[in-house]
Amino acid sequence: LLQHGLPCPPPGATQLSPTQVGTAASAPDDAPATQVVEPSDGPEGEIDPAPEVVVVGPKPKRTLAEAESREHQMTHLPKNPFCEVCSLAKVQRTQKRKKNPKLIPDGIERKPPVKFGDQVTGDHFIKNGRDGDLDADPFFPVDTVAVVLFDRGTKWLAVYPKSTKTTYHTIEAMQQFVGPNDKVASFYCDNAPELISAARALKWRLATATTGMPQTNGVAENCVRRTKEGGGCGIVQSGFDPSTFWQPAGEHYCFSTNIAIIDGDSSYNRRHKSGHFKGQSIPFGALVDFMPQPDTHVQSMGPKTIPGVFIGYHLHPGGVWSGDYLCAELAPFRKNCEIKRSKVKIHRIKEVI
């Protein structure tokens, strides 16, 4: 390399000969790759005499320590082969696609959205499970539908479980998503009549996907998949009953992705412009001690807290954290780990240890 005027790679890096540059893609995964940058014009229009060699480090590998970390247990992103929860809740069928068809014609490349409300997308998903459960409480409504909404500018993801797939409940979810002071400039969805009617009622500019082609609604479909997988990971690691605890599991996952700091920033900070999340990061179903609500009796001469399990965070409309946590008492779960949610009291409190 010195004979040709090229910089030498650092010690320990794999050096490629001129005949090996074209086959760099076939190098082993654990070997650092060497990238050749094509000549470019100099400051005075002169072309550099030789290309620049850039040594790229090895690909990151998932480790057992990362799988056991609290950050991974909050969202289980990305999928870690050493994490048992990821292996159980994120298994997928083998894809059968043959090619990637071109879905849209050539056009002018649009700038990506940068602020909240520039472009929002959403979709429904129906929770499939056992109907007519004999143990269900007739006075406790069971949510079977969820509205998933995603803001592309801030990467803000939210899910709102509902009991019916109606325009009324869809509007309710959208109002909870945007908050009192936010404005949505564009909303993209499939041709579901509930989503279209709700967007028109809220006076959002509407664009729809091609009928019969879910690929044209890929961002919303991917958000639905992420929410179902993330909530499923929370159910697997907690051991709760999936038929009644899937709602808080999905909500916990979405908020965990919003407060996660990635590349120095988080969706929570990009949206609210008030800094990163200042509360505690607690995985779904984790064992905690909390000070119960005043209507729960505790001994005056003893500990002021009781053991419980962590359920999630309480949010105001617009995704603003109220400062309260949601916890359930541990005693019912000791008798039956798969107890129904209607049989468990959820405490909204501020003190969690």
Side-chain angles (χ1 to χ4, degrees), residues 300-320:
S300 58
M301 299 292 289
K304 305 299 181 183
T305 61
I306 61 175
V309 292
F310 189 77
I311 301 298
Y313 305 85
H314 181 267
L315 304 179
H316 289 311
V320 178

Side-chain angles (χ1 to χ4, degrees), residues 110 113 115-122 150-152 177-178 183-189 199 203-208:
R110 298 180 180 179
K115 65 179 182 179
F116 182 84
D118 283 350
Q119 189 175 98
V120 176
T121 183
F150 178 71
D151 176 71
R152 300 190 67 180
F177 178 76
V178 297
K183 294 183 179 180
V184 175
S186 174
F187 180 70
Y188 188 88
C189 65
K203 298 182 180 180
W204 292 359
R205 293 181 180 90
L206 179 64
T208 57

Side-chain angles (χ1 to χ4, degrees), residues 100-312:
N100 186 17
K102 194 172 184 179
L103 300 178
I104 58 175
D106 295 334
I108 301 176
E109 184 179 359
R110 298 180 180 179
K111 295 182 179 180
V114 294
K115 65 179 182 179
F116 182 84
D118 283 350
Q119 189 175 98
V120 176
T121 183
D123 199 0
H124 284 101
F125 77 84
I126 300 176
K127 189 259 178 188
N128 53 356
R130 297 171 297 179
D131 296 332
D133 194 346
L134 297 178
D135 296 333
D137 189 347
F139 300 100
F140 189 84
V142 178
D143 297 330
T144 57
V145 181
V147 183
V148 178
L149 297 172
F150 178 71
D151 176 71
R152 300 190 67 180
T154 60
K155 312 300 182 188
W156 184 274
L157 177 66
V159 61
Y160 302 96
K162 300 297 178 181
S163 57
T164 61
K165 185 183 176 182
T166 59
T167 302
Y168 172 80
H169 280 145
T170 305
I171 293 176
E172 189 178 60
M174 290 179 171
Q175 290 178 332
Q176 190 78 10
F177 178 76
V178 297
N181 300 320
D182 297 324
K183 294 183 179 180
V184 175
S186 174
F187 180 70
Y188 188 88
C189 65
D190 58 13
N191 291 273
E194 300 85 6
L195 292 172
I196 294 176
S197 300
R200 289 174 177 172
L202 296 175
K203 298 182 180 180
W204 292 359
R205 293 181 180 90
L206 179 64
T208 57
T210 305
T211 304
M213 296 185 66
Q215 299 91 336
T216 58
N217 195 31
V219 175
E221 297 287 347
N222 180 261
C223 291
V224 169
R225 172 182 169 180
R226 287 169 49 197
T227 303
K228 295 172 72 173
E229 287 184 346
C233 289
I235 291 295
V236 172
Q237 75 178 7
S238 64
F240 293 163
D241 175 44
S243 64
T244 56
F245 277 94
W246 69 271
Q247 305 97 325
E251 294 171 342
H252 179 276
Y253 165 78
C254 290
F255 189 71
S256 297
T257 60
N258 294 332
I259 65 176
I261 300 177
I262 301 176
D263 296 332
D265 202 0
S266 63
S267 299
Y268 194 89
N269 179 53
R270 285 193 295 266
R271 177 174 182 179
H272 300 301
K273 308 296 183 182
S274 59
H276 299 305
F277 180 67
K278 299 177 177 59
Q280 301 184 52
S281 297
I282 306 176
F284 182 77
L287 181 64
V288 296
D289 289 298
F290 66 95
M291 184 176 292
Q293 294 176 173
D295 57 351
T296 301
H297 176 72
V298 293
Q299 297 293 334
S300 58
M301 299 292 289
K304 305 299 181 183
T305 61
I306 61 175
V309 292
F310 189 77
I311 301 298

